[in-house]
Amino acid sequence: MGYKIKYALKKSKEVFIISIVLWIIISIGLIMPVTKGIIDAKNEENKFDINVFITSFGENYANIFETIKSTFGKEYRMTLLKGEGYLAIAIFLFTIIGMIKMMPENEYRDIEHGSSDWAENGEQYKILSRNKGILLAEKNYLPVDKRGNVNVLVVGRFRFW
């Protein structure tokens, strides 16, 4: 199970970057104008007026830099934090779903057939050579001056034409 998580983390670095960029864009382009529109649309009786909200949202979206500056004020802060919290939860869930879909079915996914990825920390060089001999894989040679069995089995197609 650990190889699945390690593989998903390795393959999803760009997904994390995209998630962070989307979070910033959605936060600035949607959450902040909506937050300011919600607070502006509440009247004295604390009732929500949709017409005022739509007008305020359009104005806030058109003047985005003023909106960014004003949403960090006291009256907007709690609504902004709620909106950012909901956005964080949504992006976190979509990122987790994406990582789960990126997990491999088995631990041998994306390993080249005939490669030396099965060996770690150069342990294949106890048997093999780095420089010369019968080519087995990239940078892996079976030395011909080795004592013992140096037979090689070739598996695959061999075509003459």
Side-chain angles (χ1 to χ4, degrees):
M1 185 67 179
Y3 68 88
K4 287 186 176 188
I5 295 171
K6 192 183 296 185
Y7 179 86
L9 288 174
K10 186 173 116 178
K11 288 290 185 178
S12 61
K13 287 179 185 175
E14 59 268 1
V15 172
F16 289 135
I17 293 170
I18 291 170
S19 296
I20 291 170
V21 169
L22 275 176
W23 187 353
I24 292 169
I25 290 171
I26 293 172
S27 178
I28 291 172
L30 185 67
I31 300 295
M32 289 184 178
V34 167
T35 298
K36 195 160 187 301
I38 288 172
I39 298 299
D40 293 345
K42 289 184 180 176
N43 57 17
E44 295 83 34
E45 296 97 35
N46 208 13
K47 291 185 179 177
F48 185 77
D49 187 6
I50 190 72
N51 293 327
V52 175
F53 171 75
I54 292 172
T55 306
S56 178
F57 176 76
E59 290 172 2
N60 294 330
Y61 195 75
N63 301 323
I64 196 74
F65 295 112
E66 281 295 320
T67 303
I68 293 170
K69 193 165 51 171
S70 66
T71 52
F72 290 109
K74 279 185 184 177
E75 58 190 292
Y76 301 109
R77 193 173 297 148
M78 286 310 294
T79 309
L80 178 65
L81 288 176
K82 283 182 188 176
E84 289 293 332
Y86 293 139
L87 178 64
I89 290 169
I91 287 182
F92 179 74
L93 289 176
F94 284 122
T95 304
I96 294 297
I97 290 169
M99 284 183 61
I100 289 171
K101 290 188 175 243
M102 291 181 104
M103 285 186 176
E105 294 83 36
N106 57 39
E107 66 181 299
Y108 301 110
R109 181 177 179 180
D110 289 345
I111 294 179
E112 174 192 349
H113 297 294
S115 72
S116 63
D117 291 345
W118 49 268
E120 296 175 353
N121 302 326
E123 67 186 354
Q124 73 266 29
Y125 296 119
K126 293 177 185 174
I127 301 168
L128 306 175
S129 171
R130 292 180 188 208
N131 304 326
K132 61 181 179 173
I134 301 170
L135 178 65
L136 297 176
E138 183 180 358
K139 298 180 185 174
N140 284 305
Y141 297 89
L142 181 63
V144 290
D145 58 349
K146 175 181 173 284
R147 295 183 75 169
N149 189 353
V150 290
N151 293 332
V152 178
L153 173 66
V154 177
V155 178
R157 294 185 199 176
F158 189 72
R159 297 186 179 177
F160 290 101
W161 59 93

